[in-house]
Amino acid sequence: MERGRPRNFDPDIALDRALQVFWRDGFQGASLSTLTEAMGINKPSLYATFGDKESLYLSALKRYRECESAHHGQVLDTEPDARRAVEAFLHSCVRSLTDPAKPGGCFVLNGTADCGQVDTPAAIQVALRQALRVSETMIKERLKRASEDGQLPANTDVSALAAYFFTVLSGLGVQAKSGASRVKLFSVVGAAMRGWPEPER
Amino acid sequence: MERGRPRNFDPDIALDRALQVFWRDGFQGASLSTLTEAMGINKPSLYATFGDKESLYLSALKRYRECESAHHGQVLDTEPDARRAVEAFLHSCVRSLTDPAKPGGCFVLNGTADCGQVDTPAAIQVALRQALRVSETMIKERLKRASEDGQLPANTDVSALAAYFFTVLSGLGVQAKSGASRVKLFSVVGAAMRGWPEPER
DNA sequence: GTAAGATTATACTGATCGGTACAATAATAG
DNA sequence: CTATTATTGTACCGATCAGTATAATCTTAC
């Protein structure tokens, strides 16, 4: 066992609680008192374990990407048929976006809208944009693979197509945040999939 | 002329300045000192003319809808061909969303993402949701007209189609806020229009 | 046992928040 | 001119913000 008084909380659980708060309230909107209450710890414990508010947010973002984003990415990569993969990916995202057990919407997208705000630290803005870029790239890589597999017309612009699906995904996040139902968003995914390039006819 | 000392600022201009600040910083992120500095007035003048921060925000939202939203709506309603109308509408929105002279993104969408935050007054959340709903309804009404004009396949679900285009629009707003270029968003609009229902073939 | 090390809880810091009291100022009304 | 009315600038209010100093507490090392 370690020297000194042992901490009487689990840092992983505390970080998950902090993630929930940031997800719901944003960086600016989440106050230290709200955070410490949700995490069940005091401010000195928070600062000793996670650093300041900015680095706690960055840790929460990392956790979000490892848990939420990674799961959807797996769906995207596993399904062999690219069209079905993208559709399943969007469905997976919609399920998460509208999960009543979660704060609503997407942590990264919610944060991005918050981002222009005066006092948001530059490191957070950079991390959020990078997270968006990574997600879009994930879709693009999947489409590129589909193109190499002959699952897309030869002249398909995979970057543009990825940008399209990622924009739809962003819109789904906003709609979810504003209270749209899961059924409605599923229907939107169905409409969006009609943007999938048809073979020459 | 009126009794008493005349005010030495134009309320309309001051409101426009406040709109810019709220658009950029959100309700929570816009501080009274930032607002008064941008508006060129003092706090007592602000409170005497516009009421408190909440009612100032609601006035700014109203102004936004009258200026920005109304313009795009006109584009949507004017063009007789429904498909071209929707495309022109989205292009008009993209031009606004990526206008370097504007704060970036959409006032309403930026605000919506901010909205779950703890201290956002209920009246603001209601007004933002209503603004979203009105925009979606605007699209739906246009599609309904198109359906009655025989410009859409008979079995088209105009509500679902409107939800789709509105979701795309929401996504465009997020992408613009995160710095996507106008060219890229135009390309996304092109891809999104492929979701327009084709006649039976 | 006692000393050392790490975490705890509490109380505090200076700054900023939204909002307001108050007195000086600038106009009209008589 | 004086009185009235409304806006102005300044200084202030209590509350809350992010972050920290301090001391009590709990553990291991010896």
Side-chain angles (χ1 to χ4, degrees):
Chain A
M1 199 158 186
E2 309 233 339
R3 287 282 288 269
R5 179 174 177 172
R7 60 162 60 99
N8 58 6
F9 67 94
D10 181 335
D12 286 334
I13 294 177
L15 181 56
D16 276 330
R17 302 272 177 80
L19 169 58
Q20 299 285 319
V21 174
F22 280 130
W23 193 343
R24 186 189 64 205
D25 296 347
F27 174 73
Q28 305 281 1
S31 73
L32 264 289
S33 52
T34 303
L35 286 164
T36 52
E37 189 183 357
M39 298 165 81
I41 63 177
N42 299 317
K43 282 194 278 188
S45 300
L46 191 156
Y47 278 82
T49 309
F50 301 102
D52 62 6
K53 189 183 175 185
E54 173 178 343
S55 67
L56 174 62
Y57 184 92
L58 292 172
S59 298
L61 170 56
K62 187 180 172 198
R63 169 66 64 96
Y64 178 83
R65 295 179 61 183
E66 286 167 354
C67 295
E68 297 284 332
S69 307
H71 171 253
H72 305 311
Q74 198 173 1
V75 171
L76 184 63
D77 287 340
T78 302
E79 166 65 46
D81 179 73
R83 191 187 205 280
R84 278 202 290 269
V86 169
E87 188 166 23
F89 168 74
L90 293 175
H91 280 153
S92 174
C93 291
V94 165
R95 273 190 294 273
S96 176
L97 290 169
T98 58
D99 186 340
K102 290 171 182 168
C106 162
F107 181 96
V108 180
L109 292 171
N110 295 356
T112 299
D114 236 28
C115 199
Q117 295 199 358
V118 185
D119 294 326
T120 305
I124 290 183
Q125 304 201 23
V126 169
L128 286 171
R129 293 203 183 195
Q130 198 202 352
L132 286 186
R133 203 170 48 74
V134 166
S135 293
E136 181 167 345
T137 301
M138 197 167 67
I139 298 176
K140 187 166 86 178
E141 293 299 321
R142 184 64 187 88
L143 294 177
K144 195 180 290 179
R145 201 176 95 201
S147 181
E148 291 162 357
D149 291 351
Q151 295 181 348
L152 282 171
N155 60 345
T156 302
D157 181 342
V158 293
S159 290
L161 193 59
Y164 163 68
F165 281 116
F166 189 59
T167 299
V168 169
L169 178 57
S170 305
L172 291 169
V174 173
Q175 296 301 311
K177 177 82 181 178
S178 82
S181 73
R182 183 173 292 187
V183 169
K184 179 174 180 179
L185 297 189
F186 273 179
S187 142
V188 169
V189 171
M193 290 309 297
R194 308 196 330 111
W196 189 269
E198 296 291 335
E200 294 292 335
R201 47 190 160 89
Chain B
M1 200 158 186
E2 311 232 341
R3 291 280 290 267
R5 178 176 178 171
R7 61 160 59 98
N8 57 9
F9 66 94
D10 181 335
D12 286 334
I13 294 177
L15 181 56
D16 276 331
R17 301 271 177 78
L19 170 58
Q20 299 285 318
V21 173
F22 280 129
W23 194 343
R24 187 190 62 206
D25 295 346
F27 174 73
Q28 305 281 0
S31 72
L32 264 291
S33 51
T34 304
L35 286 165
T36 52
E37 190 182 359
M39 297 166 82
I41 63 178
N42 297 318
K43 282 195 278 186
S45 300
L46 190 157
Y47 277 83
T49 308
F50 301 103
D52 62 6
K53 190 183 176 186
E54 172 179 343
S55 67
L56 175 61
Y57 184 91
L58 292 173
S59 298
L61 170 56
K62 186 180 173 197
R63 169 67 62 96
Y64 178 82
R65 295 180 61 184
E66 287 167 353
C67 295
E68 296 286 330
S69 308
H71 171 254
H72 305 310
Q74 198 172 2
V75 171
L76 184 62
D77 287 340
T78 302
E79 166 65 46
D81 180 74
R83 190 188 206 281
R84 276 203 291 269
V86 170
E87 187 165 24
F89 168 73
L90 293 175
H91 279 152
S92 174
C93 291
V94 165
R95 274 190 294 273
S96 176
L97 289 168
T98 58
D99 186 339
K102 290 171 183 169
C106 162
F107 181 95
V108 179
L109 293 171
N110 295 355
T112 298
D114 234 28
C115 199
Q117 295 199 357
V118 185
D119 293 327
T120 306
I124 290 182
Q125 305 201 21
V126 168
L128 287 170
R129 292 204 183 194
Q130 196 201 354
L132 286 186
R133 202 169 49 75
V134 166
S135 293
E136 181 167 346
T137 301
M138 198 167 67
I139 299 175
K140 187 166 83 178
E141 292 299 320
R142 183 64 187 88
L143 294 177
K144 195 180 292 179
R145 202 177 96 200
S147 181
E148 290 161 359
D149 292 352
Q151 294 181 352
L152 282 171
N155 61 344
T156 302
D157 181 343
V158 293
S159 290
L161 193 59
Y164 163 68
F165 281 116
F166 189 59
T167 300
V168 169
L169 179 56
S170 305
L172 291 169
V174 173
Q175 296 301 310
K177 177 82 181 180
S178 82
S181 73
R182 182 173 292 187
V183 169
K184 180 175 181 179
L185 296 189
F186 273 179
S187 142
V188 169
V189 171
M193 290 310 296
R194 306 193 334 110
W196 188 269
E198 296 291 336
E200 295 292 334
R201 48 188 159 89

